Amino acid sequence: LSLINSDNNSMFVTGTNNNIGSTIEKSNQNSFFLFFTNNTKAGINVTNSSSNIISVETTNSLGDGIMLKNSHKNIISTFTIENGSVGLHVISSDNNRISTTVLLNRNDGVRVVSSKNNIIHFTAINNSGNGLAVHNSTNSVFAGIALNSTLDGILLNNSNANTVIGLSLQKNGRNGLGIEKSFSNRVRTFEVRKNANDGIFLNESLNNSVVLCPVVEGNSKNGVHLVLSNDNVIANPQQFGIVGNISLNNRHGILLDNSSHNIIGPYNIINNSLGGIKLVDSPQNILGSFIIPQINVHFVIPGGKDVICDGSEKAIVLNRGSGIEILASDDNLALYNFIWQNKGNAAHG
């Protein structure tokens, strides 16, 4: 299909073994259903086109499954984008609404570059780059699942003021969520498990708000790791009714390196291999609850042990190092932390 300078059409198109699956250029207010397989270049190219409604299934493209470039206010839904270069590639395109499933692509499942005000719902599985990669993009909403990516489940790079919801970030080859040189993003994760590096990693990033609940668990390095990142809030608001668990990570539950003025907590930090919380060259952070304890409650930690502590406290328990370790870090506050049965000290500096 090649559609150029055409408006107000409605089409159902299938094709296989084509040089290019579909080209839509300078065309607006069309409605398409497109099904393409085994295309030697891109599956579907949408360029300089706006206000289209497009439903897509595309597999086995040597180029990108879908490329959206300089195109705005489109509504796109995909059944599957499989075995392409980048599954869904959005470049300099704004105000689009996209729902996609991207599988087994040779680079990122979804890549968004220099775009703003988009809403993208995604399921990204077994892609050979990041599940979702966002570069130089702002004021968008991304929500989805990223499993078994070669790199990060979700990567924000030089991207600001976005909202990210990670329903499940598991078994990715680098971090569950990576935030690089990005500011003022709002992140909510539900399951962050068994990633090859850190569960959550922030590098040179400021003023981000990250809510981790219910679990960051079983990652090969740290549960949460901040490097050169300041003024972030990594918190679990009490209105969720439960305290998130950061547990069973192979290094620390939370590691801050050269990071300051962050607010961390409250979380249950349980059974991490090298300790609960570690601060290195990281001054003036707040660790723990901001609420004065008032009500004692029971909760159960792995191994069937009952612990009594306040519902607003953070429990740092059964870690195989110190509960809190502070190195070359001044003027930090640790508030209402329940520290119990760690292999090292309760807290030391």
Side-chain angles (χ1 to χ4, degrees), residues 180-194:
E180 299 266 1
K181 298 180 180 178
S182 297
F183 311 137
S184 302
N185 295 286
R186 299 163 301 280
V187 178
R188 170 78 162 96
T189 70
F190 289 82
E191 289 186 302
V192 184
R193 300 178 191 264
K194 296 183 179 180

Side-chain angles (χ1 to χ4, degrees), residues 202-245:
L202 275 68
N203 182 49
E204 297 185 55
S205 295
L206 307 175
N207 293 309
N208 296 286
S209 174
V210 182
V211 175
L212 314 172
C213 190
V215 66
V216 178
E217 180 180 85
N219 299 287
S220 296
K221 292 187 177 179
N222 306 286
V224 179
H225 188 186
L226 275 63
V227 178
L228 297 168
S229 295
N230 306 321
D231 299 300
N232 299 285
V233 177
I234 314 294
N236 182 51
Q238 295 298 301
Q239 61 263 33
F240 284 125
I242 58 174
V243 177
N245 292 319

Side-chain angles (χ1 to χ4, degrees), residues 103-178:
L103 310 174
L104 297 167
N105 293 286
R106 295 183 298 282
N107 289 294
D108 299 329
V110 178
R111 182 184 296 167
V112 181
V113 181
S114 301
S115 300
K116 62 182 184 290
N117 298 320
N118 295 291
I119 298 176
I120 298 179
H121 297 268
F122 66 94
T123 298
I125 302 174
N126 291 323
N127 296 287
S128 295
N130 302 286
L132 165 71
V134 182
H135 302 279
N136 302 301
S137 296
T138 61
N139 292 300
S140 295
V141 176
F142 305 99
I145 294 169
L147 309 177
N148 297 310
S149 304
T150 301
L151 299 176
D152 292 342
I154 296 175
L155 172 66
L156 298 182
N157 179 47
N158 285 299
S159 295
N160 308 322
N162 297 287
T163 297
V164 178
I165 301 171
L167 300 174
S168 183
L169 308 177
Q170 300 192 52
K171 296 183 180 179
N172 296 291
R174 195 162 60 184
N175 306 299
L177 167 69

Side-chain angles (χ1 to χ4, degrees), residues 58-79:
T58 178
T59 61
N60 303 317
S61 297
L62 294 182
D64 298 334
I66 299 177
M67 177 181 286
L68 195 67
K69 187 173 183 179
N70 295 316
S71 297
H72 315 295
K73 297 182 180 180
N74 296 285
I75 298 173
I76 299 176
S77 62
T78 77
F79 300 98

Side-chain angles (χ1 to χ4, degrees), residues 266-322:
Y267 291 105
N268 297 323
I269 302 177
I270 303 167
N271 204 14
N272 298 286
S273 295
L274 297 183
I277 300 175
K278 184 174 182 178
L279 276 63
V280 181
D281 293 313
S282 296
Q284 298 184 333
N285 298 283
I286 297 176
L287 312 174
S289 176
F290 332 117
I291 300 174
I292 297 174
Q294 294 180 2
I295 303 172
N296 290 329
V297 297
H298 278 83
F299 70 94
V300 179
I301 60 177
K305 298 179 182 293
D306 287 331
V307 177
I308 300 175
C309 73
D310 179 78
S312 65
E313 287 177 310
K314 175 170 59 183
I316 306 174
V317 296
L318 294 179
N319 297 288
R320 283 161 277 171
S322 297

